[in-house]
Amino acid sequence: MRKLAIVVDAAGLVISSLLPLKPALVGLYPIFFCSAFQWGVYSSANGYNSATIFSSNNFKQALLGWTQYFLTDPEFKKKGILYTNTVLSFFIGACYGAVVVNAFAVRAAYFGFIPLATGWILVVKHSMVLESERPQEIEKEAETELEDAELLEEEQK
């Protein structure tokens, strides 16, 4: 689904660049569709709810994560880092978009392929890591289950 989301985003960029400029709202329809699709595919990250298309809640969650980390539990550092990176990525993407739209108008949509290509590489790399770890995880799970079975057998004797 993550690869499909990137393909849908790429199609949305192309369609947006080909639509007429008047009325301007028409050019946003592909973006709305892509955003909805993205929302469904990327709704969580590392066990936390994460909205990739809105930054206000992510900013709030970043502040909460860092506050909880400093005041209570070191485990919340992961949350602070995740949401801080999400907010920074959103901000950098918005700045990048503003600069290229100012310079290239509607054709700036094609500059969206640069972050999409980066995302594609990360998704493919992540899936390769998951596939390569799978045999090791299965072996560890099997060892744990064997130990549990041996303990249960000893308890029943």
Side-chain angles (χ1 to χ4, degrees), residues 11-145:
L13 286 172
V14 171
I15 292 169
S16 290
S17 72
L18 298 175
L19 291 174
L21 294 176
K22 303 245 177 173
L25 189 60
V26 173
L28 294 176
Y29 288 141
I31 304 303
F32 293 152
F33 178 79
C34 293
S35 296
F37 198 82
Q38 223 181 63
W39 178 267
V41 173
Y42 295 102
S43 60
S44 68
N46 290 339
Y48 298 107
N49 291 331
S50 179
T52 57
I53 57 175
F54 301 111
S55 64
S56 57
N57 186 54
N58 290 331
F59 183 70
K60 176 183 124 185
Q61 292 298 328
L63 288 176
L64 283 173
W66 289 114
T67 302
Q68 290 168 320
Y69 166 69
F70 286 118
L71 295 179
T72 60
D73 188 359
E75 188 64 30
F76 284 102
K77 183 177 182 180
K78 291 179 193 175
K79 180 180 179 180
I81 291 171
L82 172 79
Y83 284 109
T84 300
N85 286 337
T86 303
V87 170
L88 286 174
S89 296
F90 185 88
F91 179 75
I92 290 167
C95 290
Y96 172 73
V99 168
V100 296
V101 166
N102 190 36
F104 299 100
V106 175
R107 301 295 175 232
Y110 297 114
F111 283 86
F113 284 105
I114 295 170
L116 283 179
T118 304
W120 182 268
I121 291 167
L122 292 173
V123 166
V124 168
K125 184 177 177 182
H126 180 71
S127 64
M128 288 177 6
V129 167
L130 288 178
E131 289 172 5
S132 68
E133 288 180 358
R134 194 163 273 149
Q136 294 169 347
E137 290 175 0
I138 292 171
E139 183 181 349
K140 286 181 183 179
E141 287 175 16
E143 288 174 5
T144 304
E145 288 181 21

